[in-house]
Amino acid sequence: AQKVTQAQTEISVVEKEDVTLDCVYETRDTTYYLFWYKQPPSGELVFLIRRNSFDEQNEISGRYSWNFQKSTSSFNFTITASQVVDSAVYFCALRRAGANNLFFGTGTRLTVIP
Amino acid sequence: GAVVSQHPSRVICKSGTSVKIECRSLDFQATTMFWYRQFPKQSLMLMATSNEGSKATYEQGVEKDKFLINHASLTLSTLTVTSAHPEDSSFYICSARPPWESNQPQHFGDGTRLSIL
């Protein structure tokens, strides 16, 4: 069975602080895909990143960075120099190879205080 | 890039009303679309997989007769909440993925916020 755990329900940081959102997953598959989505108050889901299970390279995109560790089944997301516009709910998700549907974590609500 | 359009974005109606939500793939054909439901401050839960030309596949605990899904064309799936009641109030969001993007993420619609009075 697949499971995605985001233990942090809510996080508040002051603007310009760095923040890391944790994601731990469970799967018996050897090939799978991991995702992060951002859901602002308006509700739409904004795709941030996809990572294949066989690619453990960390990735940086502007103020965003992701740390994929297969040994600990984690796919953590760090925002550096946070901004108020980063305030949103962030979801980590997993998809099995060959499947279409996503298994979502429960989300982490990030509030960046000006 | 591929776009998924969902309509309407918001519905407020009386209890007992049936509500239809449309999900369209605008520039690609989608043989499969997905319907998710999100209660306030909770995660997205897959309700059903919509299959073009055949019956939808529902997740455990989702009432087929309550949530009717029709996928009559390769670009349109509809979710009808029949005889809606206040407990059906939720955020419904659909997704699809172009067939040429087998390893890429799904594209989500902007969601429909349903409020039953």
Side-chain angles (χ1 to χ4, degrees), chain A residues 29-76:
Chain A
D29 294 349
T30 54
T31 303
Y32 50 89
Y33 304 94
L34 297 166
F35 304 84
W36 274 95
Y37 285 89
K38 174 182 180 180
Q39 187 178 43
S42 49
E44 74 273 20
L45 282 177
V46 179
F47 165 74
L48 296 178
I49 190 172
R50 174 190 66 101
R51 177 59 77 227
N52 302 330
S53 56
F54 45 86
D55 180 5
E56 284 194 73
Q57 274 193 331
N58 293 326
E59 184 161 336
I60 298 175
S61 176
R63 296 184 297 107
Y64 295 169
S65 61
W66 291 268
N67 186 323
F68 179 26
Q69 298 279 346
K70 285 186 75 172
S71 59
T72 56
S73 297
S74 65
F75 186 41
N76 297 336

Side-chain angles (χ1 to χ4, degrees), chain A residues 33 39 50 95 100 105, chain B residues 34 36 38 43 97 103 106:
Chain A
Y33 304 94
Q39 187 178 43
R50 174 190 66 101
R95 179 166 66 83
N100 284 304
Chain B
F34 302 89
Y36 292 84
Q38 184 182 27
S43 186
R97 188 179 65 208
N103 293 327
Q106 294 176 19

Side-chain angles (χ1 to χ4, degrees), chain B residues 24-54:
Chain B
R24 295 182 184 273
S25 54
L26 295 185
D27 54 358
F28 65 96
Q29 294 182 335
T31 56
T32 305
M33 291 185 176
F34 302 89
W35 288 96
Y36 292 84
R37 180 175 184 176
Q38 184 182 27
F39 288 107
K41 297 190 177 183
Q42 295 190 26
S43 186
L44 287 82
M45 300 300 295
L46 180 66
M47 297 176 65
T49 302
S50 175
N51 304 300
E52 188 271 333
S54 64

Side-chain angles (χ1 to χ4, degrees), chain B residues 49-70:
Chain B
T49 302
S50 175
N51 304 300
E52 188 271 333
S54 64
K55 291 182 179 180
T57 305
Y58 289 82
E59 296 300 303
Q60 192 173 7
V62 178
E63 298 177 60
K64 301 177 182 180
D65 296 333
K66 177 73 170 178
F67 300 100
L68 299 179
I69 292 174
N70 185 286

Side-chain angles (χ1 to χ4, degrees), chain B residues 9 11 17 21 36 68 72 80 85 95 100 104 114:
Chain B
S9 58
V11 179
T17 307
I21 303 169
Y36 292 84
L68 299 179
T80 301
H85 289 92
S95 72
W100 64 85
Q104 295 304 310
L114 176 63

